[in-house]
């Protein structure tokens, strides 16, 4: 195969609405072939460290939102994070992802020190996923050695975005702009969306996929919206649904369609088979994601006493497992579909191409 024919917005929309099994089987096959050709058969592992569940924001979908008083809040110490990073090295991972709520108790200097220590003591690539911080913070962490930044824009529909993200006083939220800034100062950038947000239409989702292309993302993570009862979007009957026939379902099938289309539109991107997908299909959601366009998994290395408190959505996969159990589980799943565990850091193929 030489290149991928450019999918128009109309093509994307038609595929999102496609329900014929034979046609969909062709889509999976096409996405898998493009994945094989552009990013190969290696599946890179990123060790996820959920190091703080404090959050100052009130995202209407997220179980960690500041209003949820039922969450027992924690912050891991720098030494605890370092121990997780060393454990990730022991498992052969090339990257750790430091993820937290938007926690202003995490200062620029403190997180900068943690990044510096990881970079000094290990060969790991460091990805940060700590929300919308100031340009000063982001640049400081880059100087400390951070390599990548994850910030999902969640939806490209501005009205829907505003409805589910109450603003911080006086600060305008523009995640695509922040992603472009992150890229301009040298980060690899990752983003993504939720699928099936109440009020999200097929047109919105087609726009999301077009925005993936436009932002030229290095990593793109998508997963189904999963209602959490302790959040404003958790009660079905109270939602502003899109008109009948236009509302995107938050289904497993729709997630595969988006993974596959994302691979076709952004052939060099790193695309994870996400925990949310593994949550809607505990049996083989991860494997099916990997067979329909994805090339990355993010095994959780957070210590068990903390991970059960990081309940973004209910029944989250891996919540009771240890890092060792997740490692074995992922290894088994990857090998069961005839793929290999990636070696090295798994840097963005997109970047390498862009630099050439
Ligand atoms: N359902 C699915 N995904 C969610 N996220 C947050 N809350 C939910 C939910 N209820 C996703 C968001 C966020 C990522 C860390 O988790 O996309 O960016
Ligand atoms: Fe955690 Fe399967 S990856 S239990």
């Amino acid at each position: 195969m030489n290149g991928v024919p450019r999918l128009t917005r109309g093509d994307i929309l038609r595929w999102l609405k496609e329900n014929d099994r034979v046609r969909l089987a062709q889509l999976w096959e096409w996405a898998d072939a493009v994945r094989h050709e552009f990013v190969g058969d290696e599946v890179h592992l990123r060790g996820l460290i959920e190091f703080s569940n404090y959050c100052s924001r009130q995202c209407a979908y997220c179980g960690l939102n500041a209003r949820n008083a039922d969450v027992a809040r924690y912050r891991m110490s720098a030494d605890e994070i370092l121990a997780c990073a060393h454990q990730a090295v022991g498992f052969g991972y090339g990257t750790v992802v430091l993820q937290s709520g938007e926690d202003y108790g995490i200062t620029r200097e403190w997180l900068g020190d943690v990044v510096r220590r990881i970079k000094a003591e290990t060969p790991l690539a460091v990805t940060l996923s700590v929300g919308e911080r100031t340009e000063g913070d982001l640049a400081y962490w880059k100087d400390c050695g951070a390599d990548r930044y994850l910030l999902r824009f969640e939806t490209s529909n501005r009205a829907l975005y505003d409805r589910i993200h109450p603003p911080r006083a006086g600060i305008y939220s523009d995640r695509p702009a922040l992603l472009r800034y992150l890229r301009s100062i040298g980060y690899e950038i990752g983003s993504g969306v939720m699928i099936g947000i109440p009020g999200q239409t097929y047109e919105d989702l087609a726009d999301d996929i077009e925005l993936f292309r436009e932002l030229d993302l290095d990593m793109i993570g998508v997963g189904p919206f999963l209602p959490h009862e302790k959040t404003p979007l958790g009660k079905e009957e109270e939602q502003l649904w899109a008109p009948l026939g236009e509302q995107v379902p938050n289904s497993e099938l729709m997630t595969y369609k988006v993974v596959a289309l994302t691979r076709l539109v952004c052939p060099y991107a790193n695309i994870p088979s996400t925990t949310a997908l593994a949550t809607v299909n505990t049996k083989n959601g991860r494997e099916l994601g990997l067979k329909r366009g994805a090339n990355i998994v993010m095994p959780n290395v957070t210590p068990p006493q903390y991970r059960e408190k990081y309940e973004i959505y209910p029944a989250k996969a891996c919540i009771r497992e240890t890092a060792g159990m997740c490692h074995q589980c992922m290894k088994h799943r990857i090998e069961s579909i005839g793929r290999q565990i990636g070696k090295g850091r798994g840097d963005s193929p997109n970047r390498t191409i862009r630099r050439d």
Side-chain angles (χ1 to χ4, degrees), residues 61-62 99 152 154 194 224-226 312-313:
Y61 46 86
C62 182
Q99 189 175 85
R152 289 190 180 179
E154 314 294 0
M194 285 180 295
F225 159 70
L226 299 167
I312 303 177
Y313 46 77

Side-chain angles (χ1 to χ4, degrees), residues 35-331:
R35 186 271 310 152
H36 171 76
E37 161 134 348
F38 286 80
V39 295
D41 287 341
E42 289 195 338
V43 176
H44 290 281
L45 300 151
R46 323 291 204 201
L48 177 65
I49 309 175
E50 297 161 333
F51 71 97
S52 162
N53 69 351
Y54 280 87
C55 193
S56 58
R57 305 293 292 271
Q58 294 172 31
C59 302
Y61 46 86
C62 182
L64 300 184
N65 78 79
R67 290 244 168 130
N68 186 359
D70 291 351
V71 180
R73 305 284 171 170
Y74 70 87
R75 262 181 216 118
M76 286 169 60
S77 69
D79 286 344
E80 287 175 310
I81 297 173
L82 263 291
C84 289
H86 283 289
Q87 198 177 17
V89 175
F91 290 138
Y93 303 165
T95 301
V96 279
V97 180
L98 303 185
Q99 189 175 85
S100 68
E102 204 166 293
D103 175 7
Y104 291 91
I106 303 289
T107 63
R108 178 189 287 194
E109 292 72 24
W110 183 86
L111 186 55
D113 279 347
V114 171
V115 172
R116 262 198 232 104
R117 283 181 62 188
I118 296 175
K119 299 301 289 187
E121 295 177 27
T122 76
L124 293 165
V126 174
T127 303
L128 297 178
S129 177
V130 300
E132 295 174 66
R133 301 285 301 229
T134 63
E135 291 189 356
D137 288 350
L138 301 170
Y140 182 85
W141 297 327
K142 187 81 199 54
D143 288 342
C144 293
D147 301 279
R148 310 181 185 136
Y149 204 94
L150 297 183
L151 181 69
R152 289 190 180 179
F153 61 78
E154 314 294 0
T155 172
S156 56
N157 177 328
R158 187 71 221 189
L160 179 58
Y161 181 89
D162 287 342
R163 201 189 312 150
I164 63 179
H165 296 96
R168 292 162 298 171
I171 308 174
Y172 184 72
S173 168
D174 185 344
R175 292 188 177 188
L178 209 47
L179 286 161
R180 290 190 182 97
Y181 172 72
L182 285 158
R183 203 177 62 228
S184 77
I185 60 171
Y187 281 98
E188 282 186 21
I189 53 168
S191 193
V193 298
M194 285 180 295
I195 296 158
I197 305 166
Q200 183 185 46
T201 66
Y202 286 92
E203 303 266 340
D204 293 335
L205 199 48
D207 289 342
D208 294 346
I209 295 172
E210 294 234 293
L211 187 53
F212 294 161
R213 169 156 55 199
E214 189 189 318
L215 289 170
D216 196 17
L217 299 167
D218 298 295
M219 174 143 164
I220 305 165
V222 301
F225 159 70
L226 299 167
H228 187 301
E229 65 163 4
K230 288 289 159 54
T231 66
L233 289 194
K235 292 176 198 68
E236 208 171 298
E237 56 293 354
E238 293 173 19
Q239 302 315 313
L240 281 173
W241 298 99
L244 202 67
E246 288 178 39
Q247 170 67 47
V248 172
N250 61 341
S251 65
E252 184 186 354
L253 179 64
M254 189 58 62
T255 307
Y256 297 132
K257 290 185 199 175
V258 178
V259 168
L261 291 168
T262 300
R263 170 60 65 205
L264 298 177
V265 165
C266 306
Y268 288 108
N270 280 324
I271 301 178
S273 187
T274 57
T275 304
L277 185 53
T279 299
V280 289
N281 176 352
T282 46
K283 190 167 158 275
N284 63 350
R286 290 265 194 212
E287 291 89 327
L288 288 175
L290 290 172
K291 288 169 84 165
R292 295 172 177 180
N295 70 321
I296 299 280
V297 290
M298 297 169 64
N300 201 321
V301 293
T302 312
Q305 71 271 29
Y306 297 126
R307 66 169 81 184
E308 66 185 27
K309 299 187 172 70
Y310 205 87
E311 204 193 44
I312 303 177
Y313 46 77
K316 191 169 157 231
C318 311
I319 206 116
R320 307 218 182 286
E321 274 68 21
T322 62
M325 289 157 81
C326 286
H327 178 63
Q328 285 307 322
C329 172
M330 290 292 198
K331 186 166 175 295

